[in-house]
Amino acid sequence: MPGEAVTLQLGHYSGCVGAHWWGLQAAALRSPAEPAELRAAALLRFGRGPGGPETPTPRLVALELKGTAGWGGSGGPAATGRPRRDRALFAGGVGSLRADGAGTEPPVSWDGAVADYRDRAPAGGCAPRDTGSRRGDAAGDGKGNPGAAGPGAAPAGSQDAPSVRLWSDYLNVHLHPKSVYVIRQYLHDGDCGCLEAFGQGESLLQDPACVEELEDRLHFYVEECDYLQGFQVLCDLHNGFSGVGAKVTELLHDEYSRKGILTWGLTPVLSTVGDPQNSFYRLMNTALGIAHLSRHSSLFCPLSLSGSLGIKPQPPVTFPYIKYDASLNYHSSAILAAALDTLTAPYRLWSFQGSMMHFADSLTFSGRKAVAAWAALPLPALSGSSLPDTLSAHQQDVPWKLLSSWREQKVSCCFAQSVVLRGICKEKATSCPGQPRSPLHSCESPEQVLQQYLHTQFPGAYSTSHVLQQPCDTRPPFPQFFSPLLTSRGFLLDKAQGSSSAGVESIPVLAALQSSPVLHSLLSGLCRDLRARNARRCSSFFTAGVEQDDFQEALEELKTLSQCYETGFGADGSEDEADSD
């Protein structure tokens, strides 16, 4: 049986991904009564209020800024004399929100009338639309300015429901009073007073009062665990929260050295236009964040739908059966949450006998602390097809997309990988008389089918794999941005269906974490971008608390880390020469 994990969300975009992720956990609890494959208590705690039913809440500590996620300066829900939209009903799921104040102030309680706002879902079960009208709420540059929709964007007006500005607008689980810690020194929204630089974030966690508050919340959750596996850290990379994450992971590493620390560096889709200085700030935040987070984590994975984390943003990732608006955090974070829910399944399985530390060790040997994420959302599969039939249709190339911010390319090798396939029928295919149609059809179990497929696609790689019957739930508040070529269960149709009120309720997913040569390109590319520009000219970044020597040390760490992923062939040599100036 898997142990428990404590999750930390550091930053607004991490909150967006987290809100969808917790929604997926709640949806799994509402699924039909069948044997559960994933242990809900690995991420959720179950408590009973006075006279109320048992309520699951995330084992979560979320660090946020003033003006974010529906919490005012005192940390509690904004007491404006009216109920917040946090309580909206999304197709049967109550979005109730509970949080306490920052520091030592008591939580703000509401003792007036309470109302539920019910949003009637339009055709297709669409969830509310994120207008991206507030700075930092839509994807954009390092300061949160809105970015442009990518080629996979949904047509204008395709989402007709009310606007969504903050992640609390689509959070549909209760939060424990210990969950949200509001940082008062900085604002989420505004032209000044924002958390923009790595050094600012580091300085916050050097304040004894802030550290004490964080440790108090962590200890609360840790001490109630029967067996603590470790920590999941969701951290914004593009802003000052990268510095917060650096100090938080250092604290966890020092205090819980024998526990796993799995860190996910999150970046929204970046605008292709923006202020050059802001872009350089973002680049330095990202580079410093990756260097420090990799140093103190058991495993580090950058996650983004942006085509690049470099100084020149590339077009966002596109999916053949999802038409999302890349400028909306509500959309992009949902895709990353679905991938994250699948990628983290191995150490949440009821049958899992190891720990998060063992899971990380299987991927990060030989100094390769960073991994890349891939996902097929949804996995193209015909309704009723067996697993061998589905995988046999993709013998030439695995149909997944890279979610770790590098130019799309075919990768035919990796050092190690953890692969999860979910939502495909496990029944064995009925073979025609005579010889099996393919080696996959001769396998005895679904796990053997997937292992045989991975051995063919990635010969010589150390692969672990899991096959889950349970699909990824995509009912609201998950956005309905799917192709009309999909059934309500996410399988392919022969032809597009007309407008349906049911929408897509679940999808099959194939996802992987890989220790891959693609990390060499990503990390060395960041080094090249930084070395090509004179960082000394950006004096305001260093006045925020980062020393020049520390910055150069982080660059060397990135270069050393990138060299761990060299394969000894290809175009890597030119990149190394460019870095050796």
Side-chain angles (χ1 to χ4, degrees):
M1 183 176 71
E4 297 87 7
V6 176
T7 303
L8 295 96
Q9 288 172 195
L10 312 177
H12 179 65
Y13 191 64
S14 295
C16 294
V17 175
H20 280 299
W21 194 16
W22 301 122
L24 294 176
Q25 309 314 309
L29 293 176
R30 297 195 299 266
S31 295
E34 56 188 28
E37 296 168 295
L38 300 174
R39 185 188 180 217
L43 301 184
L44 305 176
R45 56 190 302 278
F46 293 82
R48 191 182 303 276
E54 188 176 62
T55 303
T57 58
R59 200 175 291 106
L60 168 69
V61 177
L63 272 61
E64 281 291 0
L65 304 180
K66 289 172 62 176
T68 309
W71 289 278
S74 60
T80 58
R82 65 169 187 261
R84 290 190 48 81
R85 281 197 67 253
D86 305 337
R87 299 182 58 83
L89 287 172
F90 289 105
V94 180
S96 301
L97 204 55
R98 303 286 186 269
D100 75 339
T104 57
E105 291 191 12
V108 176
S109 60
W110 174 251
D111 55 5
V114 175
D116 282 334
Y117 285 83
R118 297 176 183 263
D119 295 331
R120 184 178 299 277
C126 297
R129 180 172 195 235
D130 183 349
T131 62
S133 58
R134 284 168 60 103
R135 177 164 149 180
D137 298 331
D141 60 20
K143 296 180 73 172
N145 298 318
S158 63
Q159 299 281 343
D160 301 318
S163 65
V164 172
R165 297 185 305 172
L166 302 167
W167 60 262
S168 58
D169 291 332
Y170 47 91
L171 179 70
N172 68 339
V173 297
H174 293 268
L175 295 185
H176 188 274
K178 288 284 187 182
S179 280
V180 179
Y181 176 33
V182 178
I183 297 171
R184 301 172 178 228
Q185 291 92 323
Y186 296 98
L187 298 173
H188 163 62
D189 189 23
D191 294 325
C192 60
C194 298
L195 187 60
E196 298 175 342
F198 181 92
Q200 293 173 316
E202 270 196 321
S203 299
L204 280 172
L205 268 295
Q206 291 170 347
D207 178 3
C210 183
V211 173
E212 181 180 355
E213 185 69 30
L214 176 62
E215 288 181 332
D216 174 68
R217 294 164 190 264
L218 285 173
H219 292 162
F220 171 79
Y221 290 116
V222 167
E223 289 168 5
E224 69 176 10
C225 293
D226 293 328
Y227 167 62
L228 176 69
Q229 285 199 68
F231 302 88
Q232 303 174 129
V233 182
L234 280 61
C235 179
D236 287 7
L237 277 184
H238 58 293
N239 54 34
F241 272 103
S242 62
V244 174
K247 284 298 183 183
V248 167
T249 51
E250 182 181 0
L251 183 152
L252 295 175
H253 181 268
D254 292 343
E255 191 164 346
Y256 303 95
S257 58
R258 296 186 178 182
K259 303 299 181 182
I261 303 171
L262 274 55
T263 302
W264 311 88
L266 300 167
T267 306
V269 177
L270 303 171
S271 173
T272 55
V273 293
D275 180 80
Q277 180 167 317
N278 292 342
S279 297
F280 197 47
Y281 260 53
R282 171 184 56 77
L283 182 66
M284 291 194 288
N285 287 331
T286 300
L288 286 166
I290 292 176
H292 285 77
L293 294 171
S294 299
R295 183 193 306 166
H296 300 301
S297 301
S298 310
L299 174 150
F300 171 79
C301 179
L303 276 181
S304 178
L305 297 185
S306 193
S308 171
L309 295 181
I311 197 69
K312 294 180 180 178
Q314 301 293 324
V317 178
T318 59
F319 299 86
Y321 302 103
I322 292 179
K323 303 301 179 184
Y324 74 102
D325 188 336
S327 69
L328 303 183
N329 282 352
Y330 170 59
H331 280 191
S332 64
S333 62
I335 295 172
L336 295 183
L340 189 62
D341 188 54
T342 305
L343 294 168
T344 60
Y347 58 83
R348 297 188 285 126
L349 287 167
W350 275 104
S351 58
F352 186 61
Q353 299 297 319
S355 68
M356 291 169 65
M357 182 71 84
H358 296 134
F359 175 77
D361 287 345
S362 69
L363 294 168
T364 58
F365 50 82
S366 300
R368 303 184 185 106
K369 296 286 287 291
V371 295
W374 303 77
L377 292 158
L379 174 65
L382 293 172
S383 181
S385 62
S386 67
L387 182 54
D389 291 336
T390 298
L391 295 181
S392 294
H394 304 290
Q395 292 281 19
Q396 298 301 316
D397 196 11
V398 185
W400 52 34
K401 299 279 187 170
L402 180 62
L403 306 184
S404 292
S405 297
W406 191 247
R407 292 184 293 273
E408 190 67 32
Q409 53 186 290
K410 181 179 179 180
V411 176
S412 58
C413 67
C414 65
F415 306 107
Q417 61 182 345
S418 168
V419 182
V420 177
L421 189 152
R422 63 191 304 184
I424 298 294
C425 180
K426 281 193 174 186
E427 282 81 11
K428 190 174 180 181
T430 55
S431 301
C432 298
Q435 296 296 321
R437 285 169 287 171
S438 76
L440 297 180
H441 289 83
S442 64
C443 296
E444 294 296 324
S445 68
E447 290 74 20
Q448 289 180 5
V449 172
L450 182 55
Q451 275 287 356
Q452 174 65 33
Y453 178 74
L454 295 174
H455 176 73
T456 303
Q457 296 293 328
F458 303 95
Y462 175 75
S463 300
T464 58
S465 60
H466 300 275
V467 180
L468 281 66
Q469 185 104 23
Q470 176 185 330
C472 179
D473 196 295
T474 56
R475 289 173 290 183
F478 201 93
Q480 288 295 304
F481 43 25
F482 296 101
S483 165
L485 288 171
L486 298 180
T487 69
S488 63
R489 307 301 293 175
F491 294 102
L492 298 182
L493 291 167
D494 292 332
K495 60 180 180 179
Q497 60 183 352
S499 177
S500 170
S501 60
V504 176
E505 298 181 354
S506 65
I507 58 173
V509 177
L510 176 66
L513 288 176
Q514 285 188 347
S515 177
S516 166
V518 74
L519 272 304
H520 174 73
S521 303
L522 169 64
L523 299 172
S524 60
L526 289 175
C527 291
R528 284 199 311 277
D529 280 352
L530 286 169
R531 293 184 189 279
R533 290 157 178 82
N534 188 356
R536 298 178 189 275
R537 293 181 181 177
C538 202
S539 58
S540 58
F541 185 88
F542 294 100
T543 56
V546 177
E547 299 291 338
Q548 283 278 356
D549 290 345
D550 293 339
F551 181 73
Q552 293 301 322
E553 181 182 350
L555 277 185
E556 286 301 315
E557 280 191 56
L558 278 185
K559 181 180 176 181
T560 301
L561 183 60
S562 73
Q563 291 170 345
C564 294
Y565 301 91
E566 291 179 340
T567 56
F569 56 86
D572 294 342
S574 61
E575 293 176 352
D576 293 337
E577 292 171 7
D579 286 343
S580 61
D581 54 1

